[in-house]
Amino acid sequence: MHEEPYPIDRPALYVVATPIGNLRDLTPRAQAILAGADLIAAEDTRVTGQLLKHFGIDTRMMSLREHNEREAAEKLIARLAEGQAVAQVSDAGTPAVSDPGARLVAAVHAAGYKVVPIPGASALLAALAGAGMQSPRFQFHGFPEPKSGARRKEFETLKALPHTIAFFEAPHRIAESLVDMAEVFGPDRVAVVCRELTKTFETLRRAPLAELASWVAADSNQQRGELVVLVEAAPEQAADDAASFDSVLAPLVRELPMKQAVKLAAEITGGNRNALYERALQLKGD
């Protein structure tokens, strides 16, 4: 008997990555799953419909968006209970990464059914691959806060992290966001702006944040499309700098709860709160 090259289990939920621009990035396995599933749950059936039409796939679809994900999950679990195979896709890229899907996957796990991730295109991983960041670790933060004040506060909590920091950003906010990054992370901190990955106008630019902010502000074309911003890890000396405040921090850590001690030390010394917190953990362990 001839074995299917990509057999489909039933019941099961297949979480399928779709192209972020270049249709050739839809893997053969993903094509087979989308063609062989009993139903596709799509973020926007019109967008996914164009993809399916390109590949000659006529599988039925239903909508699964952020606002209806909880209700849709119940309907899809009922399909699984009937022994069906369901594929879930977002408009582009890997579902559940700043896109719908996480609630559905959690509900399917809770119901005891199989979940199968089908890897493929990811703007985040494509950006990391093309950025040349040296840290072996990264932290993904999705979209920053939309308003500048809240965004700067968010960046303040991240600026001392010793690993690459990754963001998505909306085109109408990228110029202001880079200005805030340069202000908070520092103008000389290296970052990479990755725009329209895999598409015709794909652009990757690696430079200090101040230079990136000026470049984007001066070119409206760089304020269009899908964007990923990667910020280099904080310099290693940040933790050493915090140690210079031990005369203030150490007695506070001995007498107060950790968060309160760090807050007061930051107010007294002007030191970075994240670096002081890391140092406080070291002192607590000594």
Side-chain angles (χ1 to χ4, degrees):
M1 181 178 178
H2 178 70
E3 184 178 348
E4 292 181 80
Y6 303 103
I8 296 178
D9 289 333
R10 288 178 169 81
L13 172 69
Y14 288 86
V15 185
V16 183
T18 55
I20 57 176
N22 192 321
L23 293 180
R24 294 177 182 176
D25 290 336
L26 187 68
T27 67
R29 185 183 179 204
Q31 292 179 46
I33 296 300
L34 293 175
D38 299 294
L39 180 68
I40 297 173
E43 181 179 4
D44 188 326
T45 56
R46 294 165 300 180
V47 172
T48 299
Q50 291 299 311
L51 176 70
L52 299 183
K53 182 179 179 181
H54 178 84
F55 288 98
I57 297 171
D58 59 2
T59 306
R60 290 195 309 112
M61 292 184 287
M62 66 169 280
S63 173
L64 184 141
R65 307 174 71 88
E66 183 178 2
H67 74 274
N68 77 341
E69 188 169 354
R70 194 182 305 276
E71 296 79 12
E74 295 177 3
K75 295 178 181 178
L76 292 170
I77 288 172
R79 295 295 189 111
L80 297 176
E82 296 172 0
Q84 295 188 13
V86 175
Q88 194 258 325
V89 299
S90 58
D91 287 348
T94 302
V97 181
S98 286
D99 270 333
R103 283 181 176 175
L104 170 63
V105 170
V108 171
H109 278 300
Y113 294 104
K114 186 175 184 178
V115 175
V116 184
I118 306 297
S122 164
L124 172 61
L125 295 180
L128 285 164
M133 294 301 190
Q134 300 300 302
S135 172
R137 299 178 179 86
F138 73 90
Q139 190 165 328
F140 175 56
H141 280 267
F143 288 90
E145 292 288 341
K147 294 186 178 179
S148 181
R151 188 164 58 230
R152 289 188 180 216
K153 288 181 180 179
E154 178 183 0
F155 293 160
E156 283 285 353
T157 68
L158 303 173
K159 70 179 184 180
L161 294 177
H163 45 250
T164 301
I165 309 164
F167 303 96
F168 288 162
E169 189 51 288
H172 63 281
R173 289 198 296 264
I174 184 61
E176 292 182 358
S177 190
L178 285 171
V179 169
D180 289 342
M181 287 182 189
E183 180 71 24
V184 176
F185 292 109
D188 297 325
R189 188 87 160 258
V190 172
V192 183
V193 172
C194 307
R195 187 179 72 90
E196 292 289 86
L197 291 170
T198 79
K199 301 176 186 177
T200 302
F201 298 105
E202 176 180 89
T203 306
L204 284 83
R205 176 96 177 235
R206 177 186 169 102
L209 276 166
E211 181 180 326
L212 288 173
S214 297
W215 171 65
V216 169
D219 185 355
S220 61
N221 287 324
Q222 304 309 322
Q223 300 172 40
R224 300 176 181 176
E226 306 294 327
L227 293 139
V228 183
V229 181
L230 304 175
V231 179
E232 195 172 53
E236 291 183 5
Q237 64 265 29
D240 295 335
D241 291 345
S244 68
F245 300 127
D246 279 2
S247 61
V248 173
L249 182 62
L252 291 173
V253 168
R254 285 196 298 268
E255 301 297 331
L256 297 171
M258 182 79 74
K259 287 185 177 180
Q260 187 178 358
V262 170
K263 182 176 183 293
L264 285 174
E267 292 175 357
I268 294 168
T269 65
N272 177 268
R273 188 175 296 188
N274 287 318
L276 286 168
Y277 188 84
E278 292 296 323
R279 180 58 183 159
L281 291 174
Q282 296 173 8
L283 292 171
K284 199 79 172 178
D286 291 343

